[in-house]
Amino acid sequence: MGIGTNDLRLLLRLRMLGYIPSAASVIEIGAQQIENHVLLDQGIFDDLRTGFGSSDLLRWPVPTSLSSSPQNGPLSREMWLRLGCSYRSIDIDNSPHSINLDLNYDSVPEASLGAFDLVTNYGTT
């Protein structure tokens, strides 16, 4: 699974409507990568940068494959951090900076309850 252009446009709209604060605390259910088709047309990142008030340029290498699969695409963590947000993910695959948690069996750690402004799920569950 990965984050596509429509996902990013929705997040931007939610930000512009005030549902997501500019320095949001974000957690993903499953560490996500940015899909290749997004990387082929990176204009959405300029819109996100403006919408979140970030001065950091969001640019990644253009993929060599036109497949929508992110394969070796950048983790969305880097995007969120560059937008000025804090970031965590819940995953069992030892993804960097993730909370090792199996949602089939484990309980959410007490410190994580109510700690995030935005929770995303791009199909992990």
Side-chain angles (χ1 to χ4, degrees), residues 102-116:
D102 185 334
L103 294 175
N104 292 307
Y105 305 103
D106 300 327
S107 297
V108 175
E110 190 77 26
S112 295
L113 293 174
F116 299 95

Side-chain angles (χ1 to χ4, degrees), residues 64-75:
T64 56
S65 168
L66 296 180
S67 164
S68 65
S69 170
Q71 296 172 351
N72 294 319
L75 290 172

Side-chain angles (χ1 to χ4, degrees), residues 2-3 8 11 26-28 30-35 45 58 60 73-83 85-89 120 122:
I3 298 176
L8 294 175
L11 291 168
V26 177
I27 189 164
E28 293 180 324
Q32 300 299 310
Q33 289 176 284
I34 297 171
E35 289 186 357
F45 298 118
L58 303 171
W60 288 275
L75 290 172
S76 63
R77 174 184 184 272
E78 184 177 347
M79 175 193 74
W80 287 115
L81 293 177
R82 287 182 177 187
L83 290 173
C85 299
S86 64
Y87 173 89
R88 295 297 303 265
S89 66
T120 66
Y122 296 101

